[in-house]
Amino acid sequence: MSKLAKSDVLAGLFAAWDGIDRLLDGLPESAWETPTSLPGWDVRAVVSHLIGTESMLMGVATPAADLDVTGLEHVRNDIGAMNECWVRHLSGESGATLRQRLLAVTHDRRRLLGEMSEDDWNAPAQTPAGPDSYGRFMRIRTFDCWMHEHDIRDALGRPASDDDLSGPAARLALDEMAASMGYVVGKLGRAPDGSRVAIELTGPLARTIRVAVDGRGQLVDDFGGLEPTATIRLDGLLFTRLAGGRTDNTEGVELDGDRQLAARIVQHLDYVI
């Protein structure tokens, strides 16, 4: 069970919500129809999804859809179907109304999360990554909201500045993604036992993610003085877009050591459901 500091995670989650609201403030109605990198979703759909998820966490039931959403090409699983119900339910709302809905539900969530006891924060919960603590669930929510901020940024042509990428939301989103790299390297990338893989992120999100494989891939702080057997070097924001399935453009990704293994891992970076 992950035990994460409540104040730290909430600072990141609230910052992610604030970042999204700044993007939506004053957005022309026509811009809400701008397609994003997510198949079948425009900016309006992304915001509707965020409203729906936070509403469900407040106990609101998933609305019925006007058609069988499982038949839509971009709906791949039960979570996708649930998200699509909210997207279709809110499709007739104006952009301004959607922004106010998002502000209202996140206001209520801030209050409830702030009042949550430490015991409840650390209690077992079912998360998108499997059973873990409620705190881990909220770090996943931070990651999800932060990723959607950049979905909107990419769609609108408003890339993040270095300052935008220096806050707690970005750090926690990278923490959450790093936690999955053992699975990506060992399972998806089929790295053999004894592999030591360094994923070196550059730019404002700079950090090095190290994975050692011994039966399965595991995050490690260092390789005990040994050199990595494979190194993947790329811009940190590009890493998040590749891992989230938002792009398949690997231009600028550098591979060292066992290049065949490194290339296979890059090919399977897209792990987000």
Side-chain angles (χ1 to χ4, degrees):
M1 297 290 290
S2 304
K3 193 169 184 178
L4 304 173
K6 177 184 170 185
S7 59
D8 186 45
V9 174
L10 291 189
L13 180 58
F14 297 168
W17 289 341
D18 291 341
I20 292 167
D21 184 60
R22 285 192 294 271
L23 283 174
L24 301 180
D25 188 11
L27 193 65
E29 190 65 31
S30 59
W32 287 79
E33 315 299 329
T34 308
T36 71
S37 58
L38 298 170
W41 279 14
D42 54 15
V43 171
R44 177 189 306 280
V46 171
V47 176
S48 297
H49 155 60
L50 293 170
I51 293 167
T53 300
E54 299 306 329
S55 296
M56 288 187 294
L57 291 173
M58 292 284 294
V60 179
T62 302
D66 57 340
L67 52 76
D68 180 8
V69 296
T70 62
L72 299 175
E73 185 176 354
H74 60 277
V75 175
R76 303 175 182 174
N77 49 45
D78 290 343
I79 293 177
M82 181 172 58
N83 292 338
E84 199 66 28
C85 288
W86 281 100
V87 169
R88 298 193 67 83
H89 177 67
L90 296 173
S91 62
E93 303 281 3
S94 69
T97 299
L98 284 178
R99 179 178 175 239
Q100 290 305 313
R101 280 183 176 269
L102 183 62
L103 282 171
V105 72
T106 54
H107 175 272
D108 290 342
R109 289 283 292 148
R110 288 175 202 255
R111 176 179 54 80
L112 289 176
L113 288 167
E115 294 172 353
M116 180 175 282
S117 69
E118 290 293 329
D119 285 345
D120 287 342
W121 178 259
N122 292 314
Q126 186 60 44
T127 84
D132 207 325
S133 65
Y134 192 83
R136 169 78 188 284
F137 190 6
M138 291 305 100
R139 190 176 73 176
I140 294 172
R141 290 299 310 129
T142 304
F143 154 74
D144 186 58
C145 292
W146 185 83
M147 287 290 285
H148 286 313
E149 174 190 339
H150 292 278
D151 294 332
I152 296 170
R153 285 189 176 281
D154 287 353
L156 299 178
R158 294 171 59 179
S161 67
D162 287 2
D163 285 344
D164 292 325
L165 296 173
S166 65
R171 173 175 52 81
L172 287 164
L174 263 292
D175 287 348
E176 182 55 43
M177 300 182 89
S180 297
M181 287 304 105
Y183 168 74
V184 169
V185 169
K187 181 72 171 180
L188 301 182
R190 305 191 309 278
D193 278 355
S195 297
R196 299 179 299 278
V197 178
I199 304 174
E200 298 180 358
L201 307 185
T202 62
L205 299 178
R207 68 167 67 186
T208 299
I209 302 168
R210 298 176 180 86
V211 177
V213 182
D214 182 9
R216 63 187 181 91
Q218 298 184 67
L219 284 185
V220 294
D221 294 330
D222 57 65
F223 295 133
L226 299 174
E227 291 298 312
T229 56
T231 300
I232 301 164
R233 189 176 299 107
L234 72 166
D235 176 78
L237 188 57
L238 175 58
F239 167 77
T240 69
R241 307 312 283 167
L242 287 168
R246 270 59 171 188
T247 184
D248 57 6
N249 183 2
T250 58
E251 184 178 351
V253 178
E254 301 175 12
L255 310 177
D256 287 325
D258 185 341
R259 296 172 62 87
Q260 185 176 24
L261 170 60
R264 190 163 66 242
I265 293 168
V266 171
Q267 183 182 4
H268 291 90
L269 268 180
D270 176 10
Y271 75 94
V272 178
I273 61 172

